[in-house]
Amino acid sequence: MRLIVGLGNPGTQYENTRHNAGFMVVDKLAAEFGISVNKNKFDVRYGRGDIENQAAMLAKPMAFMNRSGLPVQKLAAYFKIDSKDLIVIHDDIDLAFGRLKIKEKGGHGGHNGIKSLIGAFGGGNFVRLRIGVGRSEAGESVTDHVLGKFSTDKAEVLSQIISGARDAVVEILRNGTKAGMNLFNGKDLAITA
């Protein structure tokens, strides 16, 4: 069983914000693979099903980004899922808008959701799918940037970026993390045809 966690913040005021990119990808996977993410345990909304013949659990922690680690750790422990079988999807301001980067393990890079997960799991031994949202404009705080919605021109290509991230998760499940890295790292999904 692979646990696929999308990071974000609950509540309608946070829908379609940069910080909720992880939630968007989980919602896309749920819709396309017929997995209902409607169960609740340990302050996590989750659902189980199959993605490309791989048993998978999709999860969205409801404890807000900065406190998402412990609920996810409790869910993983309850279902006996090791951290190495975790794929965490999150926004990243250090990547240009539209870029994806898959990492096998590592530090938090200043991301509070990842910091919370590393603290709860006692290390960073899990796969991350980072979705580039770019840096804030001059004069805009990082918090305002990540909690802000995408501009109109970026919102127009957002669906293809979310679809690309969905494809990256499927590739990791089907052929492994290295194959996903080779296929998606460095690719610009914001280029319009």
Side-chain angles (χ1 to χ4, degrees):
M1 171 85 69
R2 299 297 297 269
L3 176 54
I4 301 160
V5 177
L7 295 184
N9 287 312
T12 53
Q13 71 269 37
Y14 297 108
E15 283 178 9
N16 301 314
T17 61
R18 294 175 185 90
H19 230 14
N20 276 31
F23 275 14
M24 293 178 207
V25 177
V26 164
D27 290 343
K28 183 79 169 169
L29 287 161
E32 293 201 5
F33 291 96
I35 300 172
S36 295
V37 181
N38 59 1
K39 294 182 175 76
N40 289 289
K41 192 176 285 296
F42 309 117
D43 214 9
V44 180
R45 191 164 293 140
Y46 73 96
R48 291 191 282 183
D50 285 334
I51 298 176
E52 298 285 322
N53 300 315
Q54 165 75 56
M57 180 180 292
L58 298 176
K60 294 162 61 174
M62 296 285 118
F64 288 93
M65 181 71 79
N66 299 357
R67 296 191 305 271
S68 49
L70 193 56
V72 172
Q73 187 276 328
K74 285 180 177 178
L75 187 76
Y78 182 84
F79 287 104
K80 298 178 175 52
I81 299 170
D82 194 274
S83 64
K84 68 179 174 40
D85 292 319
L86 185 63
I87 300 170
V88 179
I89 309 162
H90 66 93
D91 62 301
D92 193 319
I93 61 170
D94 291 325
L95 280 179
F97 174 76
R99 297 253 180 207
L100 299 181
K101 185 164 186 181
I102 299 166
K103 279 183 68 174
E104 281 193 287
K105 54 182 107 174
H108 57 74
H111 193 286
N112 288 327
I114 297 297
K115 189 186 296 185
S116 180
L117 283 162
I118 289 172
F121 280 94
N125 186 28
F126 51 84
V127 174
R128 305 103 196 274
L129 171 55
R130 299 162 49 196
I131 300 172
V133 296
R135 286 247 168 222
S136 56
E137 301 294 321
E140 181 184 38
S141 74
V142 170
T143 302
D144 287 342
H145 180 66
V146 296
L147 294 179
K149 296 191 186 293
F150 292 94
S151 63
T152 306
D153 58 324
K154 289 183 175 167
E156 288 174 8
V157 294
L158 185 60
S159 65
Q160 70 193 42
I161 294 163
I162 298 303
S163 291
R166 181 258 348 256
D167 293 345
V169 171
V170 170
E171 181 65 22
I172 292 167
L173 294 176
R174 190 189 293 142
N175 296 313
T177 307
K178 292 269 193 296
M181 292 164 84
N182 289 337
L183 204 55
F184 288 93
N185 285 4
K187 192 174 182 181
D188 189 348
L189 300 172
I191 296 171
T192 51

